[in-house]
Amino acid sequence: MIFEEVAADSVYVGGVSHGKFVRFKLEHMARTLPGPVVREWWVKAVDELIAPFVKDRGYDWEVTIDEVPADLWSIQGQIPPPFESHAEKRWVKENKVSPYGLQEKLSVGALFAPGVTLE
Amino acid sequence: MIFEEVAADSVYVGGVSHGKFVRFKLEHMARTLPGPVVREWWVKAVDELIAPFVKDRGYDWEVTIDEVPADLWSIQGQIPPPFESHAEKRWVKENKVSPYGLQEKLSVGALFAPGVTLE
Amino acid sequence: MIFEEVAADSVYVGGVSHGKFVRFKLEHMARTLPGPVVREWWVKAVDELIAPFVKDRGYDWEVTIDEVPADLWSIQGQIPPPFESHAEKRWVKENKVSPYGLQEKLSVGALFAPGVTLE
């Protein structure tokens, strides 16, 4: 998260200088929000989250969330592991970025086990 | 609209420091431009609009317009009403954000009226 | 390329202030990267390119690459010519933006020549 102070006379809303305006720009790079219900829920969840710092302090505000390509994203030189993979679980648990191999890219919910075969 | 001054030695164009360059980044969150004719027209319309402040003052410039998801956008905690809806008309007329209900989300051009039924 | 210095106490990673973090945001406006092999290759190529300035100096870092609409892009008022067109070749050779016509928008690899007709 990057906070960036902007001089009041450098922000215009509707063509008028606005000294108490906060513009939020979120980037979702890991996942996209699936379906209209979850998308609306998330927009409202974000708004509740920021309210104490913005609405409750008398600021005006606007939020946009962009969804950028997950496969064009890297941290510390590592392309993050697949959704719900073993490597993703490990990253979350260790709370840091580290290398992972093909085996760890498999889903934790994968059915492949002894006795289970692909058709 | 946010203006942001950048030191000349912090802007590079083609690998060379450039002290008279303006980079415009527009975000369309409400609507996407439909079709190649309108898209080309708009790029040129934007360019004419900024020319007196940029080209005519001897600056070099570049413009990109991004189209971010309309359903992941909120103002003052309100997800803006649908395109050409009653609520959208009211927002424009009042020039401010306010709550709206299901009824106001209908299109001003909707055919539903007494005597008109859905099949 | 725009460099923007941010105060250490204005950058948070995982909810914690981070004084040695570099955030790269690339915008691809001319072309999109076709297919998973090229996309992964490019993410890694970018990472190698920046390593001497970032990794090797002890910074942490994160990279996202966005792909914005090529047809909503202009430089010096000119919408850049098509991929692999005669105009594009000329722009690269001259290393500057200039007007071009319909003829120059054709591909350098086009088959249309005397004796070749469209069905």
Side-chain angles (χ1 to χ4, degrees):
Chain A
M1 185 171 290
I2 300 175
F3 295 91
E4 202 175 334
E5 196 172 348
V6 183
D9 60 359
S10 293
V11 180
Y12 285 75
V13 177
V16 183
S17 172
H18 195 318
K20 295 205 75 177
F21 190 81
V22 185
R23 178 69 163 80
F24 295 85
K25 180 160 175 50
L26 283 68
E27 287 191 346
H28 285 192
M29 60 274 271
R31 299 171 189 182
T32 52
L33 292 162
V37 172
V38 174
R39 293 170 80 85
E40 184 176 352
W41 165 80
W42 179 245
V43 171
K44 291 179 176 173
V46 167
D47 204 66
E48 280 180 36
L49 192 69
I50 62 176
F53 311 99
V54 181
K55 184 184 182 182
D56 299 351
R57 295 185 185 176
Y59 289 92
D60 286 336
W61 73 103
E62 184 171 22
V63 181
T64 54
I65 303 172
D66 200 4
E67 295 179 314
V68 298
D71 59 351
L72 298 181
W73 171 42
S74 73
I75 309 177
Q76 309 289 106
Q78 297 285 325
I79 296 173
F83 179 53
E84 298 293 330
S85 62
H86 289 275
E88 190 190 57
K89 293 285 182 193
R90 189 169 59 75
W91 275 30
V92 170
K93 190 182 169 194
E94 298 175 358
N95 197 28
K96 69 190 229 11
V97 171
S98 58
Y100 59 94
L102 193 55
Q103 188 72 21
E104 273 197 305
K105 290 177 77 171
L106 294 176
S107 171
V108 293
L111 292 174
F112 311 133
V116 180
T117 55
L118 291 173
E119 288 183 10
Chain B
M1 186 171 291
I2 300 175
F3 295 91
E4 201 175 335
E5 196 172 348
V6 182
D9 60 0
S10 293
V11 180
Y12 286 75
V13 177
V16 182
S17 172
H18 194 319
K20 296 205 74 178
F21 189 82
V22 185
R23 178 69 163 79
F24 294 86
K25 179 160 175 53
L26 283 68
E27 286 191 346
H28 286 192
M29 60 275 272
R31 298 170 191 184
T32 52
L33 293 162
V37 172
V38 173
R39 293 170 81 86
E40 184 176 351
W41 165 80
W42 178 245
V43 171
K44 291 179 177 175
V46 167
D47 203 68
E48 281 182 35
L49 192 69
I50 62 176
F53 310 100
V54 181
K55 183 184 182 182
D56 300 351
R57 294 184 186 176
Y59 288 92
D60 285 336
W61 74 103
E62 183 171 21
V63 181
T64 53
I65 303 172
D66 200 4
E67 295 179 315
V68 298
D71 59 352
L72 298 180
W73 170 42
S74 73
I75 308 178
Q76 309 288 108
Q78 297 285 325
I79 295 173
F83 179 51
E84 297 292 332
S85 63
H86 289 275
E88 190 190 58
K89 294 283 183 195
R90 188 168 58 75
W91 275 29
V92 171
K93 190 181 168 192
E94 298 176 359
N95 198 29
K96 69 189 226 20
V97 171
S98 58
Y100 59 93
L102 193 54
Q103 189 71 21
E104 273 196 305
K105 289 176 77 170
L106 295 176
S107 171
V108 293
L111 291 174
F112 309 134
V116 181
T117 54
L118 291 173
E119 288 182 12
Chain C
M1 185 171 289
I2 300 176
F3 295 91
E4 202 174 334
E5 196 172 346
V6 183
D9 60 358
S10 292
V11 180
Y12 286 74
V13 177
V16 182
S17 172
H18 195 318
K20 294 205 75 176
F21 190 81
V22 185
R23 179 68 162 81
F24 295 86
K25 181 161 174 49
L26 283 69
E27 286 190 346
H28 286 191
M29 59 274 270
R31 299 170 190 182
T32 52
L33 292 162
V37 172
V38 174
R39 293 169 81 87
E40 184 176 352
W41 165 79
W42 179 244
V43 171
K44 292 179 175 174
V46 167
D47 203 67
E48 281 181 34
L49 193 69
I50 61 176
F53 311 101
V54 181
K55 183 184 183 183
D56 299 352
R57 295 185 185 176
Y59 288 93
D60 285 336
W61 73 103
E62 183 172 20
V63 181
T64 52
I65 304 173
D66 200 4
E67 295 180 315
V68 298
D71 58 351
L72 299 180
W73 171 42
S74 72
I75 308 177
Q76 309 287 108
Q78 297 284 325
I79 295 173
F83 179 52
E84 297 293 329
S85 63
H86 288 277
E88 190 191 56
K89 294 282 183 194
R90 189 168 58 75
W91 274 30
V92 171
K93 188 181 169 192
E94 299 175 357
N95 197 29
K96 67 191 229 15
V97 171
S98 58
Y100 59 93
L102 193 54
Q103 188 73 19
E104 272 196 306
K105 291 176 76 171
L106 295 176
S107 170
V108 293
L111 291 174
F112 310 132
V116 180
T117 54
L118 290 172
E119 287 183 12

